[in-house]
Amino acid sequence: MLNIIIFGPPGAGKGTQSDFIKEKYNLTYISTGQVLRAEMAAGTEIGLKVKDIINHGGFASDEIVTEIIEKFIVNHPNTDGFLFDGFPRTVKQAEILDELFERYNLKLDGVLSLEVPEELLIERMLERGKTSGRADDNIESIHHRFVEYENKTKPVLHYYQDKNCLHPINGVGTIEHIFSDICSVIDKL
Ligand code: AP5
Ligand code: MG
């Protein structure tokens, strides 16, 4: 079994690389951002609760997100492994993931951290915003996503660094080249 977190700031390429990783290693994938966008689109109770916050670049509550994650883990008992994208995003979420892993007898193999400078992230998200329909791909929301990332998500890096499972990856370059760097790391896990 192989359980991996793909980590990185908004626009770092987590979703793009996940598509390749989950195929190659046969992993069960979840992007909490994608799940929350689907809840918003379907107008569910959760969707209505988080819509304004997310569209302005803020975070959904730890309670909502960890409930989504627990359901996801419980629903896939026979998987070859999990790939988490966009979760955990706060230290509280990382602590809860540790508890869930213990409860369901799972082990975290590694955290792949995509590193990309802010100017390039902004460029990528503004470009995507022209066609993505994502309400948070505008300059105001992007700035707020960066503030949230700095304040709440960066501490998660130190959390995993202290556990010796953090693997920095250069997220600048072609998608293929970055994927090949990721595979070199995963193959050693
Ligand atoms: P989420 O959906 O996770 O968004 P994000 O973290 O802001 O990241 P993105 O999805 O925008 O970027 P990405 O890293 O996946 O990059 P991508 O591959 O798309 O979360 C959205 C929101 O949901 C959050 O702000 C929060 O409100 C809420 N949320 C989610 N999880 C939560 C949690 N755990 N707790 C609380 N709230 C939560 O690439 C970006 C663009 O660049 C694409 O257009 C892509 O084509 C392009 N690109 C990718 N790689 C390359 C490359 N190598 N070269 C050139 N272009 C590239
Ligand atoms: Mg994404």
Side-chain angles (χ1 to χ4, degrees), residues 121-139 142 145:
L121 296 171
I122 295 176
E123 211 176 280
R124 285 183 186 177
M125 284 184 281
L126 287 179
E127 186 56 36
R128 180 181 56 189
K130 292 176 187 165
T131 54
S132 67
R134 266 181 68 166
D136 61 348
D137 276 344
N138 63 78
I139 195 69
I142 289 170
R145 284 156 75 189

Side-chain angles (χ1 to χ4, degrees), residues 9-16 18 29 31-34 37 85-86 89 128 134 145:
K14 302 183 292 295
T16 303
S18 290
Y29 169 72
S31 150
T32 42
Q34 249 173 32
R37 280 189 290 280
D85 163 0
R89 233 181 175 90
R128 180 181 56 189
R134 266 181 68 166
R145 284 156 75 189

Side-chain angles (χ1 to χ4, degrees), residues 89-116:
R89 233 181 175 90
T90 63
V91 170
K92 180 81 198 164
Q93 291 178 17
E95 290 167 352
I96 293 174
L97 186 65
D98 279 346
E99 287 167 24
L100 290 174
F101 269 28
E102 202 167 298
R103 189 174 316 151
Y104 297 104
N105 231 330
L106 301 166
K107 180 181 149 286
L108 178 65
D109 293 291
V111 178
L112 311 175
S113 170
L114 291 172
E115 299 183 338
V116 180

Side-chain angles (χ1 to χ4, degrees), residues 30-185:
I30 188 168
S31 150
T32 42
Q34 249 173 32
V35 171
L36 291 166
R37 280 189 290 280
E39 297 276 349
M40 294 192 287
T44 63
E45 197 184 323
I46 288 181
L48 293 172
K49 217 183 258 176
V50 299
K51 191 166 188 171
D52 283 343
I53 302 170
I54 292 185
N55 287 349
H56 290 102
F59 284 180
S61 73
D62 290 334
E63 289 71 25
I64 287 180
V65 175
T66 49
E67 202 183 307
I68 291 171
I69 290 290
E70 180 161 15
K71 253 190 218 152
F72 167 73
I73 291 175
V74 170
N75 286 338
H76 297 91
N78 299 317
T79 179
D80 286 344
F82 291 110
L83 173 60
F84 299 94
D85 163 0
F87 177 91
R89 233 181 175 90
T90 63
V91 170
K92 180 81 198 164
Q93 291 178 17
E95 290 167 352
I96 293 174
L97 186 65
D98 279 346
E99 287 167 24
L100 290 174
F101 269 28
E102 202 167 298
R103 189 174 316 151
Y104 297 104
N105 231 330
L106 301 166
K107 180 181 149 286
L108 178 65
D109 293 291
V111 178
L112 311 175
S113 170
L114 291 172
E115 299 183 338
V116 180
E118 197 165 299
E119 316 81 72
L120 191 53
L121 296 171
I122 295 176
E123 211 176 280
R124 285 183 186 177
M125 284 184 281
L126 287 179
E127 186 56 36
R128 180 181 56 189
K130 292 176 187 165
T131 54
S132 67
R134 266 181 68 166
D136 61 348
D137 276 344
N138 63 78
I139 195 69
E140 289 80 23
S141 298
I142 289 170
H143 279 307
H144 192 209
R145 284 156 75 189
F146 284 141
V147 171
E148 291 278 78
Y149 176 79
E150 277 299 318
N151 294 336
K152 299 179 183 168
T153 310
K154 262 213 179 145
V156 177
L157 276 178
H158 303 293
Y159 183 87
Y160 287 121
Q161 206 159 30
D162 291 346
K163 290 180 181 286
N164 281 324
C165 55
L166 189 71
H167 302 274
I169 310 261
N170 181 5
V172 182
T174 63
I175 291 168
E176 295 74 19
H177 191 164
I178 297 164
F179 179 58
S180 137
D181 285 350
I182 287 176
C183 293
S184 313
V185 171

